[in-house]
Amino acid sequence: MRKRTQAREIALKVLYQIDISGGTHQDVKAEFFKPIEDQNVLQFAKELIYETLEKIETIDGLIEKHALHWGLDRMAMIDRNILRFATYELLYCDNIPPRVSLNEAIELAKKYGDQDSSKFVNGILDKITRLECPGKSAFLNG
């Protein structure tokens, strides 16, 4: 498994646990990171977790804006948290091609979500990319 893929999977698990417990970024405990030996994986996982939580209001607002008739509270927690860190990547990680962010999010939705999760995640992230990141949307098809 690629390093950034591993980091995204860790971020999903941590964000999910924080979401299910109703916690905040202060609740991310060091033990989440103890088993991670590769410093590149650890660094990217921490960035995804902490930066997503830091910008959660903006990110959640965009997700709700583009998830027609779906409030965050109606979304499966797995889907919601994949959307959160993938939206962070799309908006703030200029060094990651949008297609990579979308594909990685879709693959995690297939692995951890239900049978419709990947379509749901893809639809919302595609809208966010096209409408909120117009400079990046040109790279989706190229």
Side-chain angles (χ1 to χ4, degrees):
M1 184 183 303
R2 293 187 334 239
K3 291 180 182 190
R4 287 202 167 184
T5 300
Q6 289 176 316
R8 287 178 181 97
E9 194 165 304
I10 292 162
L12 172 61
K13 291 175 181 179
V14 172
L15 291 170
Y16 178 86
Q17 185 157 354
I18 290 170
D19 199 11
I20 205 163
S21 69
T24 66
H25 69 282
Q26 287 88 8
D27 298 321
V28 179
K29 304 287 188 247
E31 55 262 17
F32 284 124
F33 304 118
K34 282 182 184 174
I36 305 168
E37 294 180 13
D38 187 304
Q39 290 303 304
N40 292 322
V41 171
L42 180 62
Q43 181 180 348
F44 188 55
K46 284 183 173 182
E47 176 187 347
L48 289 176
I49 295 161
Y50 292 121
E51 294 299 322
T52 297
L53 292 170
E54 180 76 23
K55 296 165 176 55
I56 197 81
E57 289 180 22
T58 301
I59 290 168
D60 282 356
L62 286 174
I63 293 169
E64 283 195 312
K65 175 180 172 183
H66 296 291
L68 300 178
H69 311 295
W70 282 91
L72 285 170
D73 58 331
R74 286 188 59 214
M75 293 178 193
M77 276 194 202
I78 290 292
D79 298 352
R80 177 170 58 229
N81 286 293
I82 292 170
L83 288 167
R84 283 174 168 162
F85 75 76
T87 299
Y88 163 75
E89 279 189 43
L90 289 169
L91 295 175
Y92 302 104
C93 296
D94 292 333
N95 63 330
I96 301 173
R99 187 183 320 184
V100 171
S101 297
L102 268 70
N103 287 342
E104 292 277 333
I106 291 164
E107 289 305 312
L108 283 171
K110 287 178 183 176
K111 184 173 181 177
Y112 291 102
D114 65 26
Q115 89 182 49
D116 294 324
S117 290
S118 62
K119 294 174 193 167
F120 182 72
V121 166
N122 182 42
I124 294 171
L125 291 177
D126 183 66
K127 286 180 188 176
I128 289 171
T129 304
R130 292 183 191 285
L131 300 173
E132 304 296 333
C133 312
K136 291 184 175 185
S137 66
F139 295 101
L140 285 178
N141 297 322

